[in-house]
């Protein structure tokens, strides 16, 4: 007789699909299958604040984060209404992106810059008259060539840093701390300007379509859009692929269709022609090298955002590095094609720089007329430009958090808020970008001269860092790889230099001054944190024994009151030496109080400090300092009786002296200050 | 012919005794039941001596009992599963577990078995597991810990 084969887990027959009986509520005994078998279900406390999660570890439950006061709860409710409910760390889902979605998410900044790059060139060439507008196309071609060099170089950066290789990380790792800080400062400046320029350009696109009501309010509109994007980011809406994809691909599709139709019409002998545009005043300047360089530098704003994909490699689906390299190639192809196409069409259609209508708007209107397609492309342009600002709202706080973790920025920038977003960085970016927009009256053409110098500085440092990386790596073909990055670094260094020279007087000097100032500020912050770390450092081999210093307790008293009695009783648990100190300008009343203390609180020393000038706090503080100085080996603990107020307005009626004493004693050696709260219903 | 696509179990009661095996059996059960989205119920039984009334306030005041259930919850969350914690007071742990499994129409009861020897050297299973094996109408899994290495 053979033994039956024991069942394996996979062969267990599932139970018949009977629904579970609703378990009866906790409380009364439950009957078992056998007569004497009974059990009680004990109700678990759902209001607990903490949960044991491992030996020696407790986890705060959501209830632990609920404010204890009604005011606090109201403030929290308002915050949740504006920004959404708090998110636990586990809720940060790792949503990997396909190449198509990643192109939209990471390239919106780069692709959107074609909306204003050609215009920026024409605005500068306008100084030499409309006859120079034909140079926009060759200038664009040179810029696209540099774009190809930079893209090839960044493809190598992606391969070398599959975990994300931002300029700060690459420069710091390969060139050292100072170049890393320069790259970081350049990036931070660039992110601020990206927000300002993108939003201003988005508003300009909107104003082009709806000039009458909107033109006068473009600065206010820009600030409103910045605030909107800031709030959206504070809610923690991160790389939502679908949100980004729609306006990005509508924009890309629209611009490619625009170029296609425009060129087709030209080939058929019916080129688009721009009409009824109020052009800016044309200058009579001669077309010199400086003007050409300025126009070239302005056009280089088309390359901002190219590095975003190399920063976001971990967000790609596996194989991350391969997909990221393919995507950056797509991006460069689309960017180059759109930029060249718009520059070409602008020349064909006779578009002119105008404060009232963007070049893209003019060309679109000339090609498609002022019909639905025009409005779709215009709105998509506004949408992608706002999304381009959103990319900075993701990257600025992330870079700030890295800098904060390395000690170069205040620690607040390293913490994530309730919605898993780097709130400090987001708010800082929103405020600074708003200030910039207001200072430059929301005009794109005045912001462009500041733009891109930071980008090209960080490009240069990143690629130079890659040269060192390949050299140190020494793997097969390292010379070729280093040469590619080296050529890229040289090209972008030349562009950065051109920018600095050509745009210096027009506003680039601001950025050239800001970057070193930022570097100095970050170095100072790091110096302060290092100093604090050294002062607070505990050597690993130090054994800390029990305290050997004595302590005395001093309780400032106004009168014989319950809060004073509570503080004195607490003080008696800490030390044998407890002294009550009363400051007065009325000796007779003081002596009466001493008698009362002697009768009702026996064993407590009572010191009367007479204050001829009627001050309470300063004589007390001086007395405490005098007492503490008598014996440096003794710690003086000052217990301040605190009467806990029930209403917010009572804080103006109580505890004022305690606050002043606490402030005055802050930082005194050998003096500790502690509050002993007394609650009325205790 | 067994249906290989059938779920392993739909509802499992896991007996928690506060020992080191609790985390193991919760993890194993959660991972095996995840595909079928099985419901997990973690039950900790505090045995009440006959000298005390059954409804004596013992388990509710016990930090240790709460800790057992909390750690089971945290372990389940670590495998992205949810476990319903249940705290019982009863005269006999085995009977309480089996009755709870019956009440909830569970199709699986999971118990951890530390490796213990009786005085005299024989392997000891205690009372709870033989009771469950004998009386539980549903399937019973017993997970025994590895035999500890003997010290020289």
């Amino acid at each position: 007789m053979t033994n039956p084969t024991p069942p394996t887990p996979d062969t267990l027959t599932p139970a018949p699909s009977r629904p579970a009986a609703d378990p009866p509520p906790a409380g009364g005994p439950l009957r078992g299958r056998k007569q004497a078998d009974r059990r009680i279900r004990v109700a678990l406390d759902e209001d607990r604040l903490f949960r044991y999660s491992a030996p020696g570890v407790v986890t705060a439950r959501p209830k632990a984060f609920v404010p204890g006061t009604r005011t606090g709860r109201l403030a929290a409710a308002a915050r949740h209404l504006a920004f959404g409910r708090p998110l636990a760390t586990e809720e940060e889902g790792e949503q990997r992106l396909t190449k198509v979605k990643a192109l939209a998410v990471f390239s919106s900044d780069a692709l959107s810059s074609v909306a204003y790059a050609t215009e920026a060139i024409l605005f500068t060439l306008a100084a030499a008259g409309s006859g120079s507008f034909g140079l926009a196309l060759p200038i664009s071609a040179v810029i696209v060539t540099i774009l190809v060099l930079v893209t090839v170089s960044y493809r190598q950066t992606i391969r070398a840093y599959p975990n994300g290789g931002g300029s700060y990380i690459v420069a710091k790792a390969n060139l050292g701390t100072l170049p890393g800080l320069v790259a970081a400062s350049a990036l931070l400046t660039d992110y601020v300007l990206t927000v300002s320029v993108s939003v201003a350009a988005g508003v300009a696109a909107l104003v082009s379509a709806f000039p009458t009501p909107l033109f006068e309010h473009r600065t206010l509109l820009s600030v409103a859009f910045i605030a909107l994007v800031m709030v959206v980011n504070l809610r923690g809406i991160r790389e939502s692929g679908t949100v980004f994809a729609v306006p990005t691909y509508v924009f890309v599709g629209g611009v490619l269709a625009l170029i296609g139709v425009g060129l087709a019409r030209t080939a058929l002998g019916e080129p688009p022609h721009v009409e009824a545009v109020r052009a800016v005043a044309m200058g009579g300047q001669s077309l010199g090298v400086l003007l050409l360089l300025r126009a070239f530098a302005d056009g280089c704003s088309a390359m901002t955002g190219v590095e975003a994909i190399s920063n976001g490699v971990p967000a790609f689906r596996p194989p991350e590095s391969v997909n990221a390299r393919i995507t950056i190639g797509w991006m460069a192809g689309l960017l180059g094609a759109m930029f060249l196409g718009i520059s070409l069409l602008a020349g064909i259609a006779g578009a002119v720089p105008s404060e009232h209508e963007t070049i893209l708007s003019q060309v679109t209107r000339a090609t498609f007329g002022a019909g639905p397609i025009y409005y779709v492309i215009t709105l998509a342009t506004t949408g992608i430009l706002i999304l381009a600002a959103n990319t900075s709202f993701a990257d600025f706080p992330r870079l700030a958090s890295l800098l904060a973790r390395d000690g170069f920025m205040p620690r607040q920038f390293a913490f994530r808020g309730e919605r898993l977003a780097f709130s400090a960085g987001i708010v800082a970016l929103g405020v600074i970008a708003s200030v910039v927009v207001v200072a430059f009256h929301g005009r794109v053409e005045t912001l462009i001269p500041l733009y891109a110098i930071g980008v090209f500085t960080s490009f240069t440092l990143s690629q130079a860092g890659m040269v060192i990386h390949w050299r140190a790596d020494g793997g097969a073909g390292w010379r070729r790889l280093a040469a590619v990055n080296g050529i890229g670094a040289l090209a972008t260094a030349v562009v950065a230099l051109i920018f600095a020279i050509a745009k210096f007087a027009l506003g680039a000097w601001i950025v050239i001054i800001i970057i070193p100032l930022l570097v100095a500020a970050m170095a100072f912050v790091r110096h302060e944190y290092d100093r604090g770390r050294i002062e607070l450092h505990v050597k690993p081999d130090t054994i800390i024994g029990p305290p050997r210093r004595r302590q005395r307790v001093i309780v400032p008293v106004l009168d014989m009151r319950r809060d004073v009695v509570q503080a004195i009783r607490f003080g008696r648990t800490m030390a044998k030496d407890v002294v009550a100190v009363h400051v007065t300008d009325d000796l007779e009343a003081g002596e009466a109080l001493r008698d009362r203390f002697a009768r009702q609180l026996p064993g407590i020393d009572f010191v009367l400090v007479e204050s001829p000038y009627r001050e309470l706090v300063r004589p007390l503080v001086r007395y405490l300092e005098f007492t503490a100085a008598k014996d440096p080996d003794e710690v003086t603990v000052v217990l301040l009786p605190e009467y806990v107020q029930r209403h917010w307005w009572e804080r103006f009626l109580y505890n004022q002296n305690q606050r002043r004493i606490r402030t005055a004693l802050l930082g005194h050696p050998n003096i500790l200050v502690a509050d002993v709260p007394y609650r009325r219903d205790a | 012919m067994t249906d290989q696509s059938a779920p392993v179990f739909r509802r499992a009661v896991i007996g928690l005794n506060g020992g080191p095996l609790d985390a193991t059996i919760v993890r194993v059960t959660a991972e095996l039941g995840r595909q079928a989205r099985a419901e997990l119920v973690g039950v900790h039984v505090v045995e009440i001596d006959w000298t005390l009334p059954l409804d004596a306030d013992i388990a509710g005041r016990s930090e240790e009992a709460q800790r057992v259930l909390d750690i089971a919850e945290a372990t389940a969350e670590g495998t992205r599963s949810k476990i319903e914690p249940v705290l019982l007071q009863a005269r006999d742990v085995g009977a309480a577990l089996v009755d709870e499994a019956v009440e909830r129409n569970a199709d699986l009861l999971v118990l951890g078995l530390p490796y213990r020897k009786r005085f005299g050297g024989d392997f000891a299973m205690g009372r709870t597991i033989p009771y469950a094996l004998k009386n539980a109408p549903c399937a019973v899994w017993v997970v025994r810990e590895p035999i500890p290495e003997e010290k020289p």
Side-chain angles (χ1 to χ4, degrees):
Chain A
M1 186 169 160
T2 56
N3 288 330
T5 310
T8 60
D10 287 338
T11 59
L12 275 176
T13 308
S17 52
R18 293 168 288 165
D22 285 335
L30 306 168
R31 296 178 74 91
R33 297 194 313 159
K34 297 184 183 173
Q35 186 78 8
D37 291 341
R38 294 193 182 189
R39 65 196 188 282
I40 301 258
R41 192 171 286 125
V42 180
L44 297 172
D45 181 8
E46 293 300 326
D47 286 336
R48 284 179 307 134
L49 298 179
F50 293 93
R51 189 186 74 184
Y52 296 101
S53 40
V57 179
V58 292
T59 302
R61 299 178 85 211
K63 274 234 167 219
F65 298 95
V66 174
T69 62
R70 197 163 66 166
T71 315
R73 286 192 290 274
L74 279 172
R79 219 168 42 242
H80 299 166
L81 189 67
F83 304 121
R85 65 171 180 84
L87 297 174
T89 307
E90 304 84 69
E91 292 183 79
E92 185 180 21
E94 296 221 84
Q95 195 182 3
R96 298 294 189 102
L97 300 169
T98 61
K99 292 193 286 292
V100 170
K101 281 192 178 174
L103 180 68
V105 169
F106 292 113
S107 305
S108 55
D109 183 5
L111 296 174
S112 65
S113 51
V114 303
Y116 49 77
T118 304
E119 180 165 330
I121 295 172
L122 291 176
F123 256 105
T124 304
L125 291 175
S130 58
S132 64
F133 288 169
L135 290 168
L137 187 59
I139 290 174
S140 304
V142 173
I143 294 170
V144 170
T145 307
I146 297 176
L147 169 68
V148 169
L149 279 174
V150 170
T151 303
V152 169
S153 182
Y154 265 100
R155 278 170 57 93
Q156 296 192 167
T157 305
I158 289 169
R159 190 158 65 158
Y161 287 87
N163 291 325
S167 300
Y168 167 62
I169 293 171
V170 174
K172 185 163 171 275
N174 296 292
L175 298 174
T177 302
L178 185 59
L181 288 182
V182 173
S185 303
L187 277 174
L188 290 174
T189 312
D190 176 57
Y191 291 143
V192 170
L193 290 168
T194 297
V195 172
S196 310
V197 170
S198 298
V199 169
V203 167
L206 210 55
V207 166
S208 300
F210 308 101
T212 310
L214 298 180
F215 181 77
E216 298 301 323
H217 306 290
R218 49 191 177 164
T219 306
L220 190 62
L221 263 177
S222 297
V223 172
F225 272 121
I226 291 174
L228 174 66
V229 177
M230 186 180 76
V231 167
V232 164
N233 278 273
L234 283 171
R235 283 190 69 96
I237 295 176
R238 293 170 64 219
E239 299 119 6
S240 172
T242 309
V243 171
F244 274 78
V246 170
T248 302
Y249 284 114
V250 169
F251 173 77
V252 169
V255 169
L256 291 176
L258 167 70
I259 294 167
V261 169
L263 292 177
R265 279 182 57 174
T266 306
L268 292 171
E270 277 190 42
H273 183 63
V274 170
E275 289 171 359
V277 173
R278 270 186 288 171
V280 292
M282 300 293 167
Q285 207 174 320
S286 63
L287 186 65
V289 171
L290 187 61
L291 193 67
L292 269 176
L293 289 178
R294 281 180 180 167
F296 168 77
D298 283 341
C300 284
S301 57
M303 289 181 54
T304 55
V306 164
E307 81 289 351
I309 288 178
S310 77
N311 293 345
V313 177
F316 281 80
R317 284 199 186 156
E320 295 90 345
S321 176
V322 171
N323 287 334
R325 288 163 66 203
I326 294 171
T327 309
I328 200 173
W330 290 353
M331 184 208 69
L334 282 171
L335 178 56
M338 291 197 297
F339 185 31
L340 281 174
I342 290 173
S343 297
L344 178 61
L345 268 186
I348 292 170
V352 290
S354 166
E355 283 196 14
H356 298 270
E357 191 177 4
T358 64
I359 294 292
L360 185 58
S361 171
Q362 294 175 39
V363 171
T364 309
R365 190 162 53 81
T367 306
F368 292 116
I373 299 178
Y374 167 77
Y375 287 105
V376 165
I377 292 178
T378 303
L379 288 173
T381 303
T382 304
I384 196 176
L385 284 164
I386 302 301
L387 288 176
N390 191 67
T391 308
S392 287
F393 271 98
D395 290 340
F396 179 102
R398 199 177 297 148
L399 176 59
S401 77
L402 286 174
L403 289 165
R405 257 175 246 167
D406 290 346
F408 292 112
M409 282 185 76
R411 289 185 184 126
Q412 293 89 312
F413 287 93
F415 296 126
R416 288 198 285 183
E418 283 183 341
R419 298 287 298 174
L420 293 170
F422 295 108
S423 311
I426 290 170
V427 171
L429 177 60
V431 168
I432 298 170
S434 299
V435 167
V436 170
V437 160
V438 169
F440 286 84
H441 307 292
R443 292 174 57 198
V444 179
E445 65 276 12
T446 57
L447 285 164
I448 288 287
L450 284 77
Y451 201 23
I453 187 170
V455 171
F456 281 89
T457 306
S458 65
F459 279 169
T460 305
L461 288 167
S462 171
Q463 293 176 98
M466 287 305 299
V467 173
I468 306 295
H469 169 84
W470 295 124
R471 196 166 159 229
D473 191 47
W478 73 265
R479 284 193 173 82
R480 177 180 53 81
L481 296 168
V484 169
N485 282 123
I487 293 169
L490 190 60
T492 53
V494 168
V495 173
L497 200 59
I498 290 172
F499 236 108
I501 296 168
K503 292 290 180 178
F504 187 84
L506 297 174
W509 64 269
I510 300 174
V511 176
I512 290 170
I513 290 175
I514 284 176
I515 290 177
L517 283 177
L518 271 177
V519 171
M522 287 196 281
F524 174 75
V525 169
R526 173 64 183 257
H527 171 74
E528 287 300 307
Y529 278 137
D530 281 347
R531 197 170 65 159
R533 198 176 303 122
I534 291 168
E535 287 172 359
L536 295 170
H537 178 64
V538 175
K539 288 186 191 156
D541 52 355
T542 303
I543 308 293
I544 299 145
R548 273 174 283 174
R549 295 171 80 174
R550 298 181 305 278
Q551 64 189 27
R552 88 166 68 80
V553 172
I554 291 180
V555 182
V557 303
L558 266 183
D559 202 348
M560 171 65 80
R561 301 183 341 188
R562 288 187 185 199
D563 57 341
V564 168
V565 170
Q566 178 167 276
I568 288 175
R569 292 175 76 181
F570 178 68
R572 282 177 125 162
T573 66
M574 297 171 65
K576 287 182 186 163
D577 182 6
V578 179
V579 179
V581 177
H582 178 68
V583 181
T584 182
D585 60 347
D586 181 348
L587 263 182
E588 202 177 315
E591 289 295 345
L593 184 61
R594 185 207 294 277
D595 291 339
R596 191 170 170 198
F597 261 78
R599 181 169 49 82
Q600 290 188 271
L601 274 168
I604 298 295
D605 289 340
F606 188 96
V607 172
L608 208 55
V609 176
E610 192 186 359
S611 175
Y613 297 99
R614 300 162 303 285
E615 271 203 53
L616 287 178
V617 175
R618 213 185 312 251
L620 173 67
V621 171
R622 290 287 177 265
Y623 173 77
L624 292 171
E625 289 170 350
F626 164 72
T627 312
K630 274 196 293 193
D631 189 350
D633 282 341
E634 206 168 52
V635 173
T636 301
V637 180
V638 179
L639 294 181
L640 298 175
E642 183 185 341
Y643 181 52
V644 177
Q645 54 265 22
R646 280 200 284 234
H647 305 286
W648 63 268
W649 41 266
E650 288 179 338
R651 65 179 280 125
F652 301 106
L653 304 177
Y654 299 107
N655 303 320
Q656 297 299 320
N657 284 329
Q658 281 83 335
R659 288 191 193 99
R660 288 168 56 202
I661 295 168
R662 195 185 305 119
T663 306
L665 291 174
L666 197 66
H668 272 69
N670 296 334
I671 297 181
L672 303 178
V673 183
D675 293 333
V676 182
Y678 174 78
R679 294 186 178 280
R680 268 183 269 198
D681 49 1
Chain B
M1 188 86 163
T2 53
D3 180 2
Q4 303 244 328
S5 65
V8 178
F9 55 90
R10 287 213 167 87
R11 194 174 296 117
V13 165
I14 304 171
L16 305 166
N17 64 0
L21 272 177
D22 282 359
T24 305
I25 59 176
V26 169
R27 201 175 303 122
V28 165
T29 314
E31 282 172 6
L32 285 171
R34 194 185 310 131
Q35 198 173 0
R37 296 180 194 235
E39 290 173 34
L40 307 178
V41 182
V43 179
H44 179 58
V45 184
V46 174
E47 209 167 64
I48 303 296
D49 191 76
W50 286 95
T51 59
L52 293 169
L54 184 61
D55 57 1
D57 190 12
I58 305 289
R61 288 169 175 262
S62 167
E63 290 270 334
E64 179 58 29
Q66 192 62 70
R67 194 194 312 264
V68 169
L69 293 171
D70 282 351
I71 290 179
E73 263 190 295
T75 307
E77 280 173 12
T79 63
R80 298 179 190 270
S81 303
K82 287 197 80 152
I83 188 168
E84 179 193 344
V86 173
L87 181 59
L88 300 175
Q89 283 185 182
R91 299 294 183 197
D92 182 77
V93 174
L97 286 174
V98 169
D99 291 336
E100 192 71 18
V102 167
E103 173 123 21
R104 290 175 181 270
N105 285 333
D107 45 14
L108 177 63
L109 174 62
V110 184
L111 301 167
L113 172 60
Y115 185 82
R116 280 188 298 240
K117 284 186 178 176
R118 265 194 221 105
F119 183 72
D122 285 343
F123 170 63
M125 275 211 289
R127 291 182 297 119
T128 302
I129 285 173
Y131 182 94
L133 288 170
K134 192 174 167 190
N135 293 284
C138 58
V140 179
W141 291 356
V142 175
V143 179
R144 196 214 71 190
E145 69 173 354
I147 299 175
E149 284 181 16
E150 297 210 351
K151 291 179 187 168

